[in-house]
Amino acid sequence: MSSSVDAAWRSHRAYLVNLAYQMLGDIGEAEDVAQEAFLRLSRTSEVEDVRAWLTVVAGRLCLDQMRSARARHERPDESGTLDVTPSREADPADRITLDDEVRTALLEVLRRLSPGERVAFVLHDVFQMPFEEIAETVGRPIGTCRQLARRARAKFADASPRASDVTDVEHRIVTEKFITACSNGDLQALTAVLDPTVWGMATFVSGEPPQINHGRDAVAPNLLRFLGHGATLVAGPAGEVLGFTDGRLAVVLVLTVRGDRITKIEATVDPSAAIRG
């Protein structure tokens, strides 16, 4: 791997895996798409905007994969529910369950979109890509891409009152910085995105006592000790961060964001799947 591709890998791999995961909903497939995109980058010269180039390539790969799956008559499991409105105010003990219900519902909507609708929606509404570039990725006119995104957005609005959470730009930007910093083991970048008074709590599904840390000087190193040893992080549709190890979900992190800083991190951890440093 050349030095330029190696630098691009460090800078953009976490972003690319996250992008592919939003479209495919499968962490293994998302990692494969990112790997293939960087392989193609290594065979290409004179790329002016590497991140944009990788985004287009990954988008096309995801689109091809979704179209191929439909051509093979593969259908996702339709057993999830779309009715996720709680009947009472959420108790803190129920929070992870309710967030998981919302995430499942939004994934169900994503899976019901056509390949073109899903790519147009994710690239534009989640990653803020202009429709001119989306048209190049999807291979359709700009007006058609606008219509694809509009139809996808309408399906989200009809399915869940919280679907707008997916397009919260401020939360998305902070979450992306958080994912990149953790993925690269960058303590300075991670500390910069945390509020000085941030506190984090980890709850273990195995029943171990919860761990609580206060202040970014304690929270940031602890996060990197846990997440900086091989975990693959992506953003879930409801704004949470999902951490996978060897394709298995190891941790769900719910971030509370105010402005451009994270003020609270609530993690649910499966120690049997987690990688420890």
Side-chain angles (χ1 to χ4, degrees):
M1 185 180 294
S2 68
S3 58
S4 60
V5 175
D6 184 60
W9 176 274
R10 291 194 304 272
S11 298
H12 305 305
R13 180 183 180 276
Y15 159 80
L16 213 62
V17 171
N18 186 31
L19 170 72
Y21 180 80
Q22 307 308 310
M23 299 188 208
L24 301 175
D26 182 279
I27 193 64
E29 293 177 356
E31 290 178 323
D32 289 345
V33 163
Q35 183 77 26
E36 176 62 24
F38 278 103
L39 180 62
R40 296 188 183 191
L41 178 63
S42 69
R43 298 170 179 168
T44 305
S45 58
E46 298 181 2
V47 175
E48 183 175 346
D49 188 335
V50 173
R51 186 183 180 100
W53 189 92
L54 287 169
T55 298
V56 171
V57 171
R60 288 175 176 170
L61 290 170
C62 290
L63 186 59
D64 289 345
Q65 191 156 324
M66 287 185 285
R67 285 172 173 165
S68 176
R70 292 209 169 194
R72 295 193 305 269
H73 303 288
E74 294 179 2
R75 291 294 183 268
D77 179 10
E78 300 288 347
S79 61
T81 177
L82 293 178
D83 184 10
V84 298
T85 305
S87 59
R88 59 180 174 80
E89 185 175 351
D91 184 273
D94 297 333
R95 175 160 188 165
I96 297 301
T97 301
L98 292 175
D99 283 346
D100 187 63
E101 289 175 354
V102 173
R103 177 169 59 87
T104 300
L106 293 178
L107 279 173
E108 286 301 321
V109 180
L110 272 178
R111 287 166 180 160
R112 294 177 189 181
L113 300 180
S114 71
E117 287 172 344
R118 194 188 307 184
V119 171
F121 175 79
V122 169
L123 290 179
H124 184 266
D125 283 47
V126 180
F127 288 88
Q128 308 297 300
M129 178 181 282
F131 280 114
E132 290 79 5
E133 296 179 29
I134 297 173
E136 180 182 354
T137 299
V138 178
R140 297 189 184 184
I142 295 174
T144 301
C145 293
R146 291 182 185 276
Q147 183 63 29
L148 288 170
R150 188 179 300 115
R151 289 207 305 257
R153 203 175 300 123
K155 291 179 182 180
F156 268 82
D158 291 341
S160 170
R162 291 183 57 184
S164 60
D165 289 355
V166 181
T167 57
D168 188 299
V169 177
E170 186 176 75
H171 194 285
R172 178 189 64 81
I173 292 173
V174 173
T175 299
E176 184 178 314
K177 290 179 179 179
F178 175 85
I179 288 174
T180 300
C182 289
S183 299
N184 292 338
D186 190 334
L187 179 61
Q188 183 176 358
L190 178 57
T191 301
V193 81
L194 300 179
D195 188 85
T197 62
V198 66
W199 67 273
M201 181 176 72
T203 302
F204 299 92
V205 298
S206 57
E208 298 176 33
Q211 293 183 4
I212 300 177
N213 291 284
H214 295 275
R216 61 186 179 190
D217 290 338
V219 172
N222 190 61
L223 280 169
L224 292 187
R225 278 194 296 270
F226 181 74
L227 299 174
H229 296 276
T232 299
L233 303 179
V234 294
E240 77 280 31
V241 175
L242 309 178
F244 294 84
T245 59
D246 297 324
R248 180 178 173 185
L249 183 62
V251 59
V252 177
L253 302 107
V254 177
L255 310 180
T256 299
V257 177
R258 292 180 183 173
D260 59 353
R261 301 286 178 87
I262 297 168
T263 60
K264 180 166 57 176
I265 302 172
E266 299 166 275
T268 301
V269 183
D270 180 358
S272 66
I275 292 180
R276 295 183 181 274

